[in-house]
Amino acid sequence: MGARVLVIGTISLCLVPGIDRAEAQTSDSEVLPAIEVVAPPTTSARPAARPTRGSAAPRPTRNVRRVLVYPTAPTPTVGSGMDVDKVPAAVNAVGAGQIARTSSPNIADALQQQVPGIVLSDTTGNPFMPDVQFRGFVASPVSGTPQGLAVYQNGMRINEAFGDTVNWDLIPTAAIRSVTVVTNNPAFGLNALGGAVNVQMKDGFNYKGAEINTMGGSFGRIQSSAQYGKQIDNVSVYGALEGVRDNGYRNFSESAIRRFYGDVGYRTDSSEFHLNVGLAKNNFGAAAAVPVELLQRYWGATYTTPQTTDNRVAYANLTGKVEATPTWTIEGSARVRAFRQKTVDGNPTETEPCDADSTLLCFNEDDTTPGAPANGLNGVQLANPFPDTAVLGQIDRTTTRSTTTGATLQATNTDQLFGHNNQFMVGASFDSGVTRFGASAELGTIGPNYVVSGSGIFLGRSGEPVSIGPVSLRATNRYTGIYALDTFDVTDAFSISGGGRFNYANIVLQDLIGTDLNGNHTFSRFNPMIGGTYKITPGLTAYAGYSEANRAPTPLELACADPARPCIAAAFLIADPPLKQVVSRTVEAGLRGTRELNIGTLGWKVGAFRATNADDILAIPSPELQGFGYFQNVGRTRRQGIEAQVNLTSKTLQLYASYALVDARFLDALQIGSPSPLAVDGNVQILPGNRIPAIPRNRVKFGIDYSITDAFKVGGDALFVGSQYFVGDESNQFARLPGYAVFNLHTSYQINKNLQIYGRVDNILDNRYAVYGTFFERGDVPNFANGGAEFTDPRSVSPARPRAFYAGLKATF
């Protein structure tokens, strides 16, 4: 009987085989793991003669085939997946070398550079907390953003339990081995509407040695990382530490990041086991969007602070893989993850002195409508302690504590079927999360620097019919999935894949103050997929596929879906009507290939996609309360486009260029609340064909690295992003947020075998542009920079970082 040998290795993004194992284990320039598949032994057709004493028996020849592996499920084991030539979808992979090229502690920067369909947005106003947008679907750290991407780290789902948010700052960037963006595959479970981001971490088997890397520069940036990996016989150890301190380019936008990742592994010829753990404690000043009138005076301006976020996480993940027989492989994982987040958010307030009696406070009062009493925590209307000249605001605080546990078990079989090569995979996963969420609002006053100073007076349940109130909630969500996928080689060139996943989600809400938030919601669905690949020539492959995915509403969305009970900063949860789950149907097709040229290896791909969402969920700004909003099913939406990329790799030159078009539109007519200055009675009318806001249509990327000598390298990259509609302008009536272009340069010099110095200049032309735009209520807070007059421009945007200089030293051992 033949044997199958597992080899831990990697190859470059251009997918060029031929790297030996020793090189693959230590290089940071490679992406996808490779395995060696050994075909059944072959001997002569004639019976072999019995060997005589002292003579060696004839050895069967081994037909070794080296294949590059692309993940087909969120399993934690390196080398698990499918031959990349048989993936019926676009292939997007980023390796450790490409991550290091950015000199950034944020993995999102490398994803934006290397994946055509990805662009970053900055809702928070902090570059370490970006929205990662792929094909118009988002993975964001901002509560209240409808999420559309599933994210896994070593097989552990890291979408947070309460709102499916993704805190990119918690991922230890130095310890990342590779990242793949997987599409057309429902095996990645809930929330993979646009796809899944699969992060594989380093271990002592594939990283050997030590590295210390320190960089500093503009805006008080200082960052350091250290990593070490070693293999001792069958045991490996790996550890990474990272620290970042950055004062930020805007007022009150300081950041501090502290992360640790460790892995202990053990393997034999037929098995491999790992225990990996991680810790992080990060603090951010998030300056958020700011009125353009303030930016015109000072690019570092902010509006209503403090706005801070404190993230902490601790996790442990036990993984294993066993080759039970030459054709059956069993792998699985068990994990636990504890997450805590605290936010402090200064905002304008709808609480003000009552018109009828200025000694009392009222809520949501205007010139035509009398306000309801603004109550304290005891339910009694608050007296007004503020002077007549005070500008009132409020400080909103939230606390989220989540503990998630889960397990995955998967079996893979590679027996031939009807004499043809076949790979069958079946698996199951279970994840459970328990969250305790609390929110409060403290009244205060807003100073001329837009800082909200608290008064010690807290709001209770206030307002009618539109109201808010403090929250104490316990949410339990249990997600179960069963999936199967089969890939069958019809011929040596033509392969078909089919399968699906059944998802079951149960979400229980328990109101710890009253009963308004109580609820028990269940969602289930089977999502199929089918696709195929055809190898036209050895260097050219065509692919096509169809798949479905679903997203159950999160506990946050379920508890904030009533226009009459909006949530401020996606925090103040009130009783709600039920939401429907989102179902996405995606079709994609394309070509990819490689070719050896005189100047290097050329890799390229071009593809098209169309994803149609039914019962899509959108965050709707409240027309009644500034900064408040709610979630609503908005019918059908569609995201479609094309992606093209080319890579050229040689000993002295690495070059990439890509283009992506993402056309995202509403398909159904709908009237929704909006803060747009063109809204009528606080609402705008969406018509079929209107573009979805905050999704740029065009993205162009280019990068180059050139080795002037073996030691001296220079490079640069460029990013062009098209215009987008402001959030709140779903009717597409207002002028769009302009597109932008940004250029970066970098260089490095290898002093000796162990030391390298490097530098970079970001936004070298010092372009001033914004990556996100929305509207704000002009009359809530005076324009202190203009003598206290009312703001005249309703636009509020997130300004991008100005020109910045950085230099660093890297030591490897």
Side-chain angles (χ1 to χ4, degrees):
M1 178 174 287
R4 192 160 72 98
V5 179
L6 175 67
V7 176
I8 305 297
T10 60
I11 67 140
S12 70
L13 179 62
C14 290
L15 310 181
V16 185
I19 298 172
D20 65 44
R21 177 175 174 178
E23 178 187 0
Q25 285 183 325
T26 57
S27 174
D28 273 349
S29 64
E30 296 135 12
V31 182
L32 293 177
I35 64 171
E36 287 183 357
V37 177
V38 182
T42 58
T43 59
S44 171
R46 295 167 54 185
R50 182 182 299 273
T52 61
R53 176 174 295 184
S55 65
R59 298 182 61 186
T61 60
R62 299 201 322 162
N63 180 17
V64 178
R65 186 169 64 95
R66 189 174 177 86
V67 299
L68 315 176
V69 177
Y70 200 71
T72 53
T75 52
T77 311
V78 173
S80 297
M82 179 191 299
D83 182 347
V84 70
D85 285 337
K86 301 175 184 179
V87 176
V91 172
N92 298 291
V94 180
Q98 293 159 322
I99 297 170
R101 180 183 184 273
T102 66
S103 301
S104 171
N106 188 350
I107 179 56
D109 291 328
L111 291 175
Q112 177 170 247
Q113 279 190 3
Q114 301 295 333
V115 180
I118 284 184
V119 69
L120 304 186
S121 182
D122 193 4
T123 307
T124 65
N126 189 297
F128 300 107
M129 303 175 66
D131 289 3
V132 173
Q133 185 187 109
F134 174 65
R135 295 182 175 180
F137 296 92
V138 180
S140 169
V142 178
S143 297
T145 301
Q147 310 289 332
L149 297 173
V151 183
Y152 292 87
Q153 178 184 321
N154 267 13
M156 176 174 59
R157 180 182 172 90
I158 60 173
N159 294 78
E160 304 299 347
F162 191 54
D164 267 346
T165 55
V166 179
N167 293 288
W168 299 98
D169 63 283
L170 299 178
I171 303 176
T173 306
I176 295 176
R177 182 173 187 259
S178 67
V179 183
T180 48
V181 182
V182 182
T183 63
N184 196 42
N185 191 339
F188 283 84
L190 289 170
N191 216 56
L193 301 179
V197 180
N198 191 48
V199 182
Q200 290 285 349
M201 311 302 287
K202 297 174 183 175
D203 58 53
F205 292 128
N206 56 51
Y207 181 91
K208 297 181 178 66
E211 177 188 280
I212 300 174
N213 192 347
T214 298
M215 187 187 83
S218 299
F219 312 114
R221 168 77 66 84
I222 181 71
Q223 65 185 54
S224 294
S225 66
Q227 56 180 324
Y228 173 80
K230 186 176 180 62
Q231 179 179 351
I232 305 172
D233 297 327
N234 291 347
V235 178
S236 72
V237 293
Y238 174 83
L241 280 169
E242 292 179 301
V244 182
R245 188 82 183 183
D246 192 297
N247 293 333
Y249 58 95
R250 297 175 62 190
N251 296 338
F252 314 111
S253 61
E254 300 87 352
S255 301
I257 297 174
R258 297 158 289 261
R259 299 187 292 226
F260 166 77
Y261 178 82
D263 180 279
V264 177
Y266 173 82
R267 78 176 175 193
T268 66
D269 290 340
S270 60
S271 64
E272 185 167 340
F273 300 90
H274 289 269
L275 174 64
N276 49 77
V277 298
L279 298 167
K281 183 181 184 298
N282 303 335
N283 308 95
F284 303 103
V290 63
V292 295
E293 290 179 66
L294 297 181
L295 284 181
Q296 289 166 356
R297 292 176 175 268
Y298 173 51
W299 196 248
T302 55
Y303 181 70
T304 62
T305 58
Q307 294 186 18
T308 63
T309 300
D310 177 11
N311 287 338
R312 299 187 184 188
V313 73
Y315 55 86
N317 189 20
L318 178 65
T319 70
K321 178 177 181 179
V322 177
E323 294 187 0
T325 73
T327 58
W328 276 103
T329 301
I330 310 296
E331 53 193 309
S333 65
R335 59 261 178 189
V336 59
R337 186 174 186 271
F339 170 71
R340 194 207 72 177
Q341 181 180 75
K342 292 184 177 180
T343 68
V344 179
D345 188 5
N347 287 296
T349 184
E350 296 300 323
T351 301
E352 57 188 28
C354 301
D355 288 341
D357 184 356
S358 61
T359 64
L360 298 174
L361 294 177
C362 286
F363 180 79
N364 199 26
E365 189 168 63
D366 57 36
D367 295 336
T368 60
T369 305
N375 300 319
L377 296 177
N378 59 1
V380 177
Q381 186 172 8
L382 292 170
N384 178 16
F386 303 106
D388 294 341
T389 57
V391 178
L392 300 191
Q394 69 186 47
I395 300 177
D396 300 303
R397 296 179 175 88
T398 71
T399 301
T400 306
R401 298 177 183 271
S402 297
T403 301
T404 57
T405 57
T408 299
L409 184 65
Q410 178 180 301
T412 303
N413 177 260
T414 55
D415 280 317
Q416 286 195 336
L417 185 64
F418 306 119
H420 294 253
N421 290 334
N422 187 75
Q423 178 174 301
F424 173 71
M425 175 188 74
V426 61
S429 67
F430 176 77
D431 289 278
S432 175
V434 178
T435 301
R436 287 186 177 270
F437 176 85
S440 65
E442 179 188 5
L443 294 177
T445 57
I446 301 177
N449 58 352
Y450 296 98
V451 174
V452 183
S453 300
S455 66
I457 301 172
F458 288 82
L459 274 175
R461 179 71 176 267
S462 302
E464 188 64 38
V466 178
S467 68
I468 64 167
V471 175
S472 182
L473 175 71
R474 185 180 190 270
T476 302
N477 45 312
R478 295 183 175 90
Y479 300 146
T480 303
I482 302 173
Y483 57 91
L485 177 68
D486 190 84
T487 299
F488 179 74
D489 291 356
V490 180
T491 68
D492 289 342
F494 178 42
S495 300
I496 57 173
S497 297
R501 175 174 174 130
F502 176 78
N503 291 322
Y504 178 85
N506 176 244
I507 301 168
V508 178
L509 304 177
Q510 180 184 356
D511 194 330
L512 301 180
I513 294 179
T515 59
D516 288 348
L517 295 178
N518 290 346
N520 192 324
H521 308 266
T522 299
F523 304 90
S524 62
R525 194 173 196 278
F526 176 76
N527 297 313
M529 71 83 62
I530 189 170
T533 60
Y534 183 73
K535 204 167 186 64
I536 301 171
T537 69
L540 175 61
T541 299
Y543 68 87
Y546 170 83
S547 66
E548 298 181 6
N550 72 305
R551 179 171 86 82
T554 68
L556 172 61
E557 292 167 336
L558 288 168
C560 183
D562 190 345
R565 301 289 187 267
C567 309
I568 187 165
F572 287 80
L573 310 182
I574 310 295
D576 63 278
L579 290 172
K580 301 176 183 178
Q581 65 179 339
V582 184
V583 176
S584 179
R585 297 172 173 87
T586 301
V587 60
E588 61 178 298
L591 298 166
R592 56 177 174 258
T594 61
R595 185 173 182 180
E596 293 294 335
L597 305 176
N598 292 334
I599 57 174
T601 301
L602 177 70
W604 62 272
K605 62 183 178 183
V606 61
F609 67 91
R610 170 178 284 190
T612 302
N613 286 6
D615 297 315
D616 209 353
I617 294 176
L618 196 66
I620 309 296
S622 171
E624 298 287 338
L625 304 179
Q626 172 70 17
F628 288 62
Y630 56 94
F631 297 95
Q632 180 178 330
N633 290 114
V634 294
R636 296 175 302 142
T637 61
R638 183 181 64 209
R639 295 157 178 84
Q640 62 183 357
I642 58 174
E643 297 167 337
Q645 185 176 36
V646 61
N647 299 275
L648 182 64
T649 302
S650 70
K651 184 178 179 180
T652 59
L653 177 68
Q654 292 82 42
L655 180 149
Y656 72 86
S658 69
Y659 170 73
L661 181 147
V662 178
D663 183 71
R665 299 182 183 272
F666 295 99
L667 298 183
D668 294 325
L670 185 71
Q671 188 177 81
I672 63 172
S674 170
S676 168
L678 302 178
V680 178
D681 296 328
N683 295 291
V684 295
Q685 179 65 47
I686 296 176
L687 298 176
N690 284 153
R691 282 176 54 184
I692 301 175
I695 301 178
R697 197 164 189 262
N698 297 288
R699 308 108 189 263
V700 179
K701 305 172 186 181
F702 175 81
I704 186 171
D705 287 278
Y706 180 71
S707 299
I708 297 176
T709 69
D710 289 343
F712 182 37
K713 300 179 181 180
V714 296
D717 52 82
L719 172 67
F720 305 86
V721 177
S723 62
Q724 57 187 286
Y725 283 98
F726 282 76
V727 173
D729 187 25
E730 285 77 11
S731 59
N732 297 176
Q733 295 175 281
F734 204 84
R736 286 176 283 184
L737 181 71
Y740 59 88
V742 61
F743 302 88
N744 309 312
L745 294 177
H746 59 264
T747 185
S748 67
Y749 181 76
Q750 194 74 32
I751 300 172
N752 55 37
K753 180 181 178 181
N754 303 109
L755 293 178
Q756 180 191 92
I757 57 173
Y758 62 92
R760 63 179 300 110
V761 184
D762 291 342
N763 192 4
I764 189 170
L765 300 181
D766 201 24
N767 291 337
R768 301 301 171 98
Y769 60 94
V771 297
Y772 172 84
T774 186
F775 302 113
F776 76 109
E777 181 56 53
R778 292 170 292 169
D780 275 357
V781 179
N783 185 347
F784 294 116
N786 191 28
E790 184 174 308
F791 286 97
T792 58
D793 194 321
R795 297 175 299 165
S796 182
V797 301
S798 293
R801 182 174 52 187
R803 182 168 49 224
F805 299 86
Y806 303 102
L809 174 67
K810 180 167 65 174
T812 55
F813 309 95

